[in-house]
Amino acid sequence: MRKGAETRERILEIAEASVLAKGFGATSIEEVIAEAGITKSGFFYHFKDKNELARALMLRYVEENDRIFDDVFHRGRQLSDDPLQSFLITLKLLAELMGDLPNGHPGCLIATFTYQERLFDRSVRDIATAAVRSWNGRFRDALNEIAAVYPARKGMDLEDVAIMFSCVIDGGIIMSRGLGDPRVLERQILAFRNVVKMLFAPAAPETMLPPTAIAAE
């Protein structure tokens, strides 16, 4: 990596850590410059303003998460040709990955930006929206593939289940930090994994209750 690219990456690392710790509005260009050990002109060589910094942070965050999902889904498919088993393996790998983070997940940049979206222009919000829709679509496609082999239980909308997984991840991150327990996110992903198992498990046959039992109810 060339020096210019290294400096840009260093700026992004510092800015992301600060944004996740205290929000984008409370993160100043001056503190990023000071920690990076560069001049103000050095910062503006890479980013013309704070909005461009936000856009670069979002693109970098999305790319990193795409890489993680690509990797765990690929490994899951390598370990099993069965769509249900493959997805269950994928969730287990993702849970283990989150559990291996020494201090827990640092935070969701998209969630942080969503609460401060008035600080950015439309392009930054569009990147976040497109990323969330893409991730939901990835989960939905996996569930649809499973449903083609193992019919899902009645009353469950797979689109909602796919969105649920995104909520589990973000909620797990928040709970991990709020409770001071880095393992919460890992456990929540494993809990969702159990939900998927139950969703595609064969339904128990309905039995007719005797009249006395119905009356008792």
Side-chain angles (χ1 to χ4, degrees), residues 3-193:
K3 185 176 181 180
E6 290 177 353
T7 300
R8 188 177 192 278
E9 182 63 19
R10 175 66 175 151
I11 292 171
L12 290 171
E13 286 177 356
I14 293 168
E16 180 176 307
S18 180
V19 169
L20 290 175
K22 58 184 180 181
F24 190 77
T27 298
S28 69
I29 291 176
E30 288 72 21
E31 69 178 273
V32 174
I33 289 171
E35 188 167 345
I38 59 175
T39 63
K40 204 164 189 176
S41 61
F43 175 89
F44 287 113
Y45 172 81
H46 295 284
F47 308 100
K48 68 179 182 180
D49 54 28
K50 201 175 178 184
N51 187 81
E52 187 171 310
L53 173 64
R55 187 173 185 277
L57 283 170
M58 185 62 71
L59 288 170
R60 178 175 177 268
Y61 182 81
V62 170
E63 181 180 344
E64 174 62 16
N65 278 271
D66 282 342
R67 185 194 65 75
I68 291 172
F69 287 136
D70 286 344
D71 180 58
V72 292
F73 271 86
H74 175 68
R75 289 166 62 194
R77 291 191 183 99
Q78 281 187 318
L79 291 170
S80 178
D81 293 329
D82 180 88
L84 176 56
Q85 293 305 315
S86 173
F87 190 53
L88 293 176
I89 291 169
T90 295
L91 293 175
K92 186 71 161 57
L93 291 171
L94 185 61
E96 290 174 352
L97 181 63
M98 296 300 103
D100 286 341
L101 296 173
N103 299 310
H105 197 287
C108 176
L109 200 64
I110 288 181
T112 301
F113 276 28
T114 298
Y115 285 109
Q116 300 185 333
E117 63 176 10
R118 293 185 179 181
L119 299 176
F120 325 113
D121 67 18
R122 182 62 180 268
S123 68
V124 177
R125 296 195 296 272
D126 286 348
I127 293 168
T129 300
V132 172
R133 286 177 176 165
S134 173
W135 295 334
N136 289 342
R138 184 195 292 260
F139 308 144
R140 183 190 61 245
D141 290 346
L143 294 169
N144 284 337
E145 187 178 353
I146 296 168
V149 180
Y150 304 96
R153 287 178 176 266
K154 293 180 180 179
M156 294 295 289
D157 187 310
L158 295 185
E159 179 74 25
D160 289 337
V161 176
I163 294 173
M164 181 197 301
F165 186 46
S166 293
C167 296
V168 164
I169 293 177
D170 278 341
I173 292 171
I174 293 169
M175 282 292 177
S176 290
R177 298 187 69 175
L179 298 175
D181 182 356
R183 311 292 295 200
V184 169
L185 176 56
E186 177 187 12
R187 294 198 302 269
Q188 286 300 298
I189 295 173
L190 292 175
F192 178 82
R193 183 174 181 269

Side-chain angles (χ1 to χ4, degrees), residues 208-217:
M208 293 294 293
L209 292 174
T212 52
I214 295 175
E217 289 183 349

